[in-house]
Amino acid sequence: MTTTISEAADCGPRELLQARNRLADAFALAGVQHAVTIQTDTSTEEPVLQLRPLDGPDVARLTALVTAGSHVPPTPAALQPRLFGSMAAGEEELEGLREQLATALDTAGVALELGPVRTLRGNLGVELVSVSIDAANSLALLIHTAVEACQETVNALEKVFAHLAATGLDDLPVPKWDHRLDRVALGPISMPTALELGGRLGAPVMTVEEPEEPHHAEAEAIAQRLEDAVRAATGGGLMDIRYKPACDCKPSRLQLADIAFTTALRLARALEPGAELS
């Protein structure tokens, strides 16, 4: 795909270089390794901005950046964690991801045209040969906004967890932003903390004879109770929780999976002192 970028000629090489640097810095800030280069458009002999082809994880990640930065509700199918690993998306899946990114860009007002899904250097990808200065600057701003929004969410959840620690729940995890923009990484918690946390989120009272080391069925019930409480308190937010039995002199724990940053923010608000749960 090649698109004539008239503003490259109108604004001059300095503006083009500044746009490239802004976008490259924004990608680096978000933990996205993505080269932004200046190439010559062979059809016009004008310099243009070019991104390397986007694979499945790239497209999903960029969709997360755009939706987070523009405050547009994310499309769950575009933000599955498995797409951020090494697995390459198939042609049909990549086409769907491409359409979701195109929709997110259009909704956010970024005039960045995506090329079709095709094989590039032996791998499926979406090509963006020409990126306008306006599109580059808009995309860079969205990424910076997304980074700030996610960091604010992490800070809010960390502050609430610190308050809970002062009340006795001292084994809550330290929330971390994992550079996927829509996810906040958590970690393991003890069974007593899971019971107390569920109660503070409005879960029904649950009595366990040995809260430190409940038997398997009780542990699964504690996990489900907390999942249900998080979902209710965050308006449907998901938190996958896995039971880790005791081993190697370590007590049994519940592993809290990464959660969407929108869910994390709602969870922080639900756990704030004085928050009323319906």
Side-chain angles (χ1 to χ4, degrees), residues 26-236:
F27 278 134
L29 179 64
V32 179
Q33 301 302 316
H34 207 99
V36 185
T37 59
I38 298 177
Q39 301 289 341
T40 299
D41 187 327
T42 56
S43 67
T44 65
E45 296 187 354
E46 293 291 348
V48 295
L49 293 178
Q50 180 177 2
L51 303 181
R52 65 174 173 77
L54 307 169
D55 59 16
D58 284 337
V59 176
R61 191 174 290 115
L62 192 54
T63 301
L65 291 166
V66 173
T67 54
S70 60
H71 305 292
V72 176
T75 304
L79 305 174
Q80 292 298 320
R82 65 189 182 88
L83 292 176
F84 291 92
S86 60
M87 185 195 74
E91 183 172 359
E92 184 176 350
E93 185 175 27
L94 185 55
E95 182 62 43
L97 293 172
R98 178 197 173 281
E99 291 302 316
Q100 289 167 350
L101 175 57
T103 299
L105 289 167
D106 182 63
T107 303
V110 179
L112 198 162
E113 183 180 353
L114 303 178
V117 174
R118 61 191 184 93
T119 301
L120 302 164
R121 301 178 184 87
N123 298 309
L124 282 173
V126 177
E127 194 172 18
L128 293 86
V129 173
S130 297
V131 179
S132 72
I133 291 175
D134 285 346
N137 288 333
S138 296
L139 190 55
L141 179 59
L142 283 174
I143 292 172
H144 277 281
T145 302
V147 170
E148 291 175 3
C150 194
Q151 191 57 58
E152 287 174 2
T153 296
V154 172
N155 292 344
L157 193 57
E158 188 175 33
K159 181 179 179 180
V160 169
F161 280 3
H163 171 78
L164 293 177
T167 67
L169 300 185
D170 57 1
D171 70 332
L172 286 167
V174 177
K176 295 179 181 179
W177 171 43
D178 66 0
H179 284 149
R180 292 184 296 191
L181 261 295
D182 70 318
R183 315 301 296 180
V184 176
L186 298 175
I189 61 174
S190 68
M191 292 296 173
T193 292
L195 280 166
E196 179 65 21
L197 193 59
R200 296 191 184 211
L201 289 171
V205 175
M206 180 178 182
T207 301
V208 179
E209 291 185 6
E210 298 291 340
E212 291 288 348
E213 286 298 336
H215 57 73
H216 189 278
E218 283 183 325
E220 294 287 358
I222 293 171
Q224 188 62 56
R225 174 177 177 267
L226 182 55
E227 279 191 27
D228 293 343
V230 170
R231 186 177 296 109
T234 60

Side-chain angles (χ1 to χ4, degrees), residues 235-260:
L238 299 177
M239 176 188 282
D240 292 327
I241 303 175
R242 289 180 296 170
Y243 167 52
K244 301 177 69 175
C247 63
D248 299 328
C249 299
K250 295 181 181 179
S252 58
R253 312 277 280 176
L254 291 183
Q255 178 68 36
L256 309 181
D258 296 359
I259 57 176

